[in-house]
Amino acid sequence: MEYTQLGRTGLKVGRLVLGTMNFGPQTDEAESHTIMDAALDAGINLFDTANAYGWGANKGRTEEIIGNWFEKSSDRRDKVVLATKVYANMGPDGEPVWPNHDKLSALNIRRAVEASLRRLKTDHIDLYQFHHIDRDTPVEEIWQAVDVLIQQGKILYAGSSNFPGWKIAQSDETAARRGMVGLVSEQCLYNLAERRAEMEVIPAAREYGLGIIPWSPLHGGLLGGMIKKQVEGGRRATGRAADALTDPAVRAQVQAYEDLLDKHGLPPGEAALAWLLTRPGVTGPIVGPRTLDQLTSALRAVELELSEELLAELDAIFPGPGASPEAFAW
């Protein structure tokens, strides 16, 4: 495994991040533990989760699975850079949200941290991430809550997820006025098929020294050889991938992508991950394996080198939006 600094921090993390969203809903606890064992053995040290993972009536279940894995061996927690998130309503789906039981008020942040610590069976969270912007809570209040938690030793760093560029700037400028480090990472939707983050999110993150942690690097499976799998009777497209493939233009793009990589003898999923590793500012994409085989495939992407010719051909199929403001101003 290759390692890099997380943004402007002294924290070293692997070029792949283990995403745990499938642990519980799609992958049972025993298999989840096997995947975490294999990830750690392979050198992956940044494990990403969220308090709401487990979903539905099982919100928090994913953190519990990770906590049970930590409990099995005393050295696991020390080797892992543990990241989780706060924002979501933790009550049952479909029921009204009780006041102050979601978003980023100081009260909910305090409550959510304590609950995550219990589920994760640890005394601190290394990277505590805001899962979404909170339009109702002043930024100053959020940083005050974070400052208290850092002083208490319950979290070490703060990061964002799904923040627009202006919110990254606002957050870090506010933190700087308080004498705080501010955000150290941004977890955003970014892949070959979805490159809008290049307009403002990634430039803002790089300007403020945030490590970029792309989620959905295969765009819900769309970039993992989806059309070929359908033809061969394999896994059918669902969710974002299924919706995208109903558009003839998108389907033609994906077919051209698969044909190009077939010509080069490269697995599409591994190539999509390797492409992200060439992008400026990217710390490492989140891989969310449902099985051990999927983790093994993702690990090969770290060793994969894409030629300049192939990178140019990929850009031709999936052109980026261009720099801001030129992309929309003229």
Side-chain angles (χ1 to χ4, degrees):
M1 179 58 58
E2 297 177 5
Y3 296 90
T4 187
Q5 308 299 129
L6 180 63
R8 64 186 183 281
T9 74
L11 190 64
K12 289 186 178 180
V13 296
R15 296 302 312 276
L16 289 182
V17 178
L18 181 68
T20 63
M21 188 170 65
N22 290 321
F23 295 176
Q26 298 193 48
T27 307
D28 65 24
E29 181 160 343
E31 181 70 4
S32 299
H33 287 189
T34 298
I35 290 171
M36 286 188 279
D37 285 338
L40 198 61
D41 288 345
I44 294 177
N45 69 334
L46 178 52
F47 287 20
D48 177 74
T49 191
N51 61 349
Y53 289 174
W55 308 114
N58 295 309
K59 292 174 183 175
R61 177 59 182 147
T62 303
E63 287 187 333
E64 291 175 350
I65 288 172
I66 296 170
N68 293 340
W69 180 76
F70 283 145
E71 198 171 42
K72 285 184 174 182
S73 177
S74 60
D75 68 338
R76 287 174 174 169
R77 179 64 188 92
D78 286 340
K79 291 181 177 179
V80 168
V81 176
L82 179 61
T84 192
K85 308 182 194 76
V86 57
Y87 180 87
N89 166 36
M90 294 297 288
D93 286 351
E95 293 188 8
V97 181
W98 188 257
N100 308 308
H101 277 233
D102 67 349
K103 300 187 179 179
L104 302 178
S105 69
L107 177 56
N108 189 56
I109 287 175
R110 176 180 176 177
R111 177 185 291 116
V113 164
E114 297 293 347
S116 285
L117 290 172
R118 287 193 298 270
R119 288 189 293 264
L120 291 163
K121 298 182 179 178
T122 185
D123 63 356
H124 73 282
I125 294 160
D126 299 307
L127 177 60
Y128 201 52
Q129 302 163 108
F130 312 129
H131 213 160
H132 199 285
I133 65 170
D134 183 349
R135 295 180 173 89
D136 299 323
T137 303
V139 180
E140 290 81 0
E141 176 181 343
I142 295 170
W143 282 124
Q144 181 182 31
V146 168
D147 194 24
V148 170
L149 292 174
I150 291 173
Q151 296 302 320
Q152 292 174 337
K154 293 178 179 178
I155 70 172
L156 301 183
Y157 302 94
S160 58
S161 182
N162 306 307
F163 272 32
W166 68 267
K167 194 66 176 181
I168 291 172
Q170 181 195 46
S171 297
D172 268 20
E173 291 294 340
T174 303
R177 289 195 295 271
R178 295 179 57 87
M180 299 176 66
V181 172
L183 300 172
V184 303
S185 62
E186 161 59 19
Q187 193 177 125
C188 58
L189 175 60
Y190 183 38
N191 55 58
L192 264 168
E194 175 50 85
R195 297 177 61 174
R196 285 178 291 180
E198 293 176 354
M199 290 181 66
E200 296 202 21
V201 175
I202 291 174
R206 296 185 68 197
E207 178 70 21
Y208 283 93
L210 279 65
I212 299 158
I213 306 174
W215 62 267
S216 195
L218 304 188
H219 209 52
L222 189 72
L223 300 172
M226 185 61 70
I227 294 177
K228 184 177 182 179
K229 290 176 182 177
Q230 286 184 334
V231 171
E232 294 178 348
R235 180 187 174 198
R236 297 190 62 80
T238 57
R240 183 183 296 114
D243 293 342
L245 286 177
T246 61
D247 184 333
V250 172
R251 190 176 188 90
Q253 267 187 316
V254 175
Q255 186 66 67
Y257 165 75
E258 292 188 15
D259 290 345
L260 172 64
L261 294 175
D262 187 56
K263 183 181 74 173
H264 285 268
L266 297 174
E270 294 172 24
L273 289 171
W275 178 85
L276 279 169
L277 292 173
T278 70
R279 299 300 92 187
V282 168
T283 298
I286 297 174
V287 296
R290 291 178 292 108
T291 65
L292 188 58
D293 286 344
Q294 289 180 346
L295 174 64
T296 301
S297 174
L299 287 166
R300 290 194 290 267
V302 180
E303 308 297 328
L304 191 60
E305 293 188 11
L306 306 182
S307 68
E308 292 299 324
E309 175 190 3
L310 178 54
L311 290 172
E313 290 175 307
L314 289 171
D315 272 338
I317 295 172
F318 295 110
S324 172
E326 290 86 350
F328 58 80
W330 58 78

